[in-house]
Amino acid sequence: MRRHIIMAVVFWSVCVDSRKIRGISLSYKRFYRERKSFLCIDGSKMIPFEQVNDDYCDCEDGSDEPGTAACPGGRFYCSNLGFRPHYIPSSRVNDGICDCCDASDEYNSHAHCQNSCRNLGQRERADVEGQMRTLDEGLRLKQQLIEEGVLLWREKQAQLRDLQQVAEDLQIKLEEHRRRKHEADRLKEQTLKAGDRGHRHQNRTVTSIFQILDSNKDGRITVNEVQAKVAFIQDEERSLSEDEAVALLGGGHEMDLSMFQLTLWDSLRAGDSVKIKGTYGVPASLADEDPNIEAAERDAVREDTDLKKVEEAYETVNMEISDLRNKLTIDYGTDREFLFLNSQCYQLKVYEYTYTLCPFNQVTQKSAVGTEVSLGSVRWTPGGGEIASQGSARRIKKTLYTQFKFFGRICRPVANNGVPSAH
């Protein structure tokens, strides 16, 4: 008899232990230690321990019925050994539907649940392993981009130093060419002033030659006066015929000073066909254009051309320096891992439109007929500044990273000139 009583006590203890453990996690086990009384977890009520999991809700927080559906706000803990444990509403306990992969929620129903936790755990672990491999690959690529970014950054800094040195050299050369241009202009002005005096002397020479030919001093040169005073250089002894004299007078039989300066004077000044009898060569020392004026003008033009070339080169170098400095002020990430994107563009075709995204530059939309429209610029604001606070700047970076990753997957990379690249 005593033996049967001991067995009954042990069986009852197992049943109580089973009842109190069902539906709770290990972290809550300390609240359900078997004792004479049970204190509701919210501290609102003390009940006999036998009323725990008796399918009747005694505590307002439902803590006395973790393993039954008695309390409307209760929770049932699925241990799910081999998979992820989680809570379900206690109203789902023994409702004929398997909510826990270990089937622990249907311990007193007619549902035929199988323990699928092991298979689910295996699949999840495979997914996690795949994600870890992807993460490792991503970290490897990121490290590669960081190393490339460091090299690109150093290369651009070296390029900036070289351009600054070129600008300094051009600055010195520019000052030298400006000085030479100023000197050439000054010499040209002096030569022109001297030439003006020579021109006035030349006018006096034209008048004196006209007066020599105008024997009767009537202000007109006639055919007879030309025959008397002018001869061919190759045959000075022979007198000019009337027709030859008329030809030298421009087809007429006489001419005044103004007509003389435009016709016969040019022939006499050239000194290659006719001359005044009894003289040698041209009639005046300024018969030709002043060679000093021509040389001064050539020097001034040459110095002006050279100065413009140096100015254009200096302006071009300064534009390159400004553009490079702007690129170096952009935030390319903590380790400059996004620096490579600065020279990249990506294309996405949607229906009849082709979208081109150039990170840190602009986004355009091009229709099938060839019309291209700018959709704005992609700007990454370092530190937030006036556009974004520090917190939103982090969100912007995360968003841009996601967008770049998105475009990198579904868009074709294009070269700097907008033509799709081969890779």
Side-chain angles (χ1 to χ4, degrees):
M1 181 66 179
R2 183 179 180 182
R3 179 181 177 184
H4 291 292
I5 293 174
I6 294 175
M7 291 180 62
V9 171
V10 172
F11 178 76
W12 178 82
S13 298
V14 172
C15 289
V16 170
D17 184 68
S18 176
R19 185 180 63 206
K20 73 174 182 181
I21 293 299
R22 192 185 301 276
I24 63 172
S25 65
L26 292 177
S27 61
Y28 276 82
K29 188 175 181 180
R30 67 182 186 276
F31 296 108
Y32 295 90
R33 291 175 181 173
E34 185 178 358
R35 56 177 65 91
K36 292 182 178 180
S37 300
F38 173 78
L39 177 64
C40 299
I41 293 179
D42 61 1
S44 62
K45 192 176 183 181
M46 182 79 73
I47 63 174
F49 196 85
E50 291 81 1
Q51 295 180 13
V52 175
N53 275 345
D54 64 349
D55 205 19
Y56 183 84
C57 190
D58 298 290
C59 298
E60 293 182 3
D61 61 357
S63 58
D64 65 312
E65 299 296 323
T68 72
C71 296
R75 296 191 307 168
F76 181 87
Y77 181 76
C78 301
S79 299
N80 294 341
L81 185 63
F83 190 51
R84 288 181 288 105
H86 63 91
Y87 284 95
I88 63 172
S90 60
S91 59
R92 298 181 183 178
V93 175
N94 293 323
D95 62 351
I97 300 175
C98 302
D99 297 290
C100 302
C101 67
D102 61 359
S104 59
D105 60 315
E106 299 300 320
Y107 62 88
N108 192 24
S109 73
H110 299 291
H112 299 285
C113 300
Q114 294 182 352
N115 191 330
S116 59
C117 292
R118 182 179 179 182
N119 293 334
L120 291 174
Q122 288 177 344
R123 285 201 296 268
E124 184 176 61
R125 284 189 292 273
D127 292 340
V128 171
E129 290 174 358
Q131 293 175 6
M132 292 302 297
R133 287 193 296 270
T134 302
L135 178 60
D136 290 340
E137 178 66 14
L139 292 175
R140 186 188 65 81
L141 291 175
K142 179 182 179 182
Q143 184 60 36
Q144 180 180 342
L145 294 178
I146 290 174
E147 294 173 358
E148 292 179 2
V150 170
L151 294 177
L152 284 173
W153 185 265
R154 291 175 180 173
E155 179 181 337
K156 290 184 180 297
Q157 286 184 322
Q159 183 181 357
L160 179 60
R161 288 193 296 269
D162 293 342
L163 288 174
Q164 289 173 335
Q165 183 61 49
V166 172
E168 292 178 2
D169 296 341
L170 286 175
Q171 178 68 32
I172 297 174
K173 186 180 294 185
L174 185 61
E175 295 298 330
E176 174 64 19
H177 277 278
R178 284 174 178 170
R179 185 192 64 77
R180 292 169 58 178
K181 173 66 167 54
H182 177 74
E183 182 66 18
D185 289 340
R186 186 184 65 80
L187 292 176
K188 176 183 176 182
E189 183 178 358
Q190 290 180 351
T191 305
L192 287 176
K193 288 181 179 179
D196 182 63
R197 292 192 295 269
H199 181 68
R200 289 195 296 269
H201 174 70
Q202 181 182 11
N203 288 339
R204 291 194 297 269
T205 303
V206 172
T207 302
S208 62
I209 296 300
F210 181 84
Q211 291 175 351
I212 292 174
L213 296 177
D214 185 15
S215 301
N216 58 5
K217 309 302 180 186
D218 62 351
R220 310 186 73 81
I221 299 176
T222 64
V223 172
N224 293 331
E225 290 173 334
V226 170
Q227 289 177 319
K229 299 291 182 71
V230 178
F232 285 108
I233 294 178
Q234 301 298 331
D235 192 4
E236 184 178 356
E237 299 300 327
R238 184 178 68 83
S239 298
L240 296 177
S241 66
E242 182 177 354
D243 292 339
E244 292 172 337
V246 170
L248 291 175
L249 291 173
H253 286 75
E254 61 180 18
M255 65 172 55
D256 57 9
L257 178 61
S258 61
M259 182 62 67
F260 169 76
Q261 192 170 359
L262 297 176
T263 55
L264 183 56
W265 166 250
D266 289 337
S267 299
L268 293 173
R269 186 179 64 173
D272 58 356
S273 60
V274 294
K275 69 172 187 174
I276 297 176
K277 291 181 179 179
T279 63
Y280 297 94
V282 296
S285 60
L286 293 177
D288 295 322
E289 292 291 337
D290 189 344
N292 293 328
I293 295 178
E294 294 182 357
E297 289 180 344
R298 285 195 303 269
D299 292 343
V301 171
R302 184 181 66 254
E303 293 299 335
D304 183 66
T305 302
D306 293 344
L307 177 60
K308 288 181 179 179
K309 289 180 180 179
V310 176
E311 287 177 339
E312 291 176 358
Y314 184 69
E315 183 178 357
T316 300
V317 170
N318 280 326
M319 290 177 62
E320 292 179 0
I321 290 175
S322 177
D323 180 65
L324 191 54
R325 280 177 174 170
N326 290 335
K327 289 181 178 179
L328 290 175
T329 59
I330 296 175
D331 180 10
Y332 296 107
T334 306
D335 299 310
R336 302 189 181 96
E337 60 269 25
F338 294 122
L339 179 58
F340 81 102
L341 289 172
N342 190 276
S343 59
Q344 301 293 326
C345 289
Y346 300 91
Q347 284 188 344
L348 173 65
K349 186 170 180 61
V350 180
Y351 299 109
E352 71 272 21
Y353 295 104
T354 299
Y355 296 89
T356 302
L357 168 67
C358 300
F360 307 104
N361 197 343
Q362 63 177 349
V363 182
T364 60
Q365 170 189 280
K366 189 174 183 180
S367 64
V369 297
T371 304
E372 190 170 28
V373 179
S374 176
L375 300 181
S377 301
V378 180
R379 288 291 179 264
W380 192 327
T381 307
E386 297 179 358
I387 297 178
S389 64
Q390 184 65 26
S392 58
R394 287 194 295 268
R395 291 195 295 273
I396 291 172
K397 292 181 181 181
K398 182 177 180 181
T399 302
L400 284 175
Y401 176 79
T402 305
Q403 290 175 349
F404 292 161
K405 181 179 179 183
F406 171 76
F407 269 88
R409 281 187 174 182
I410 66 175
C411 300
R412 295 180 299 157
V414 295
N416 293 337
N417 56 4
V419 179
S421 62
H423 56 280

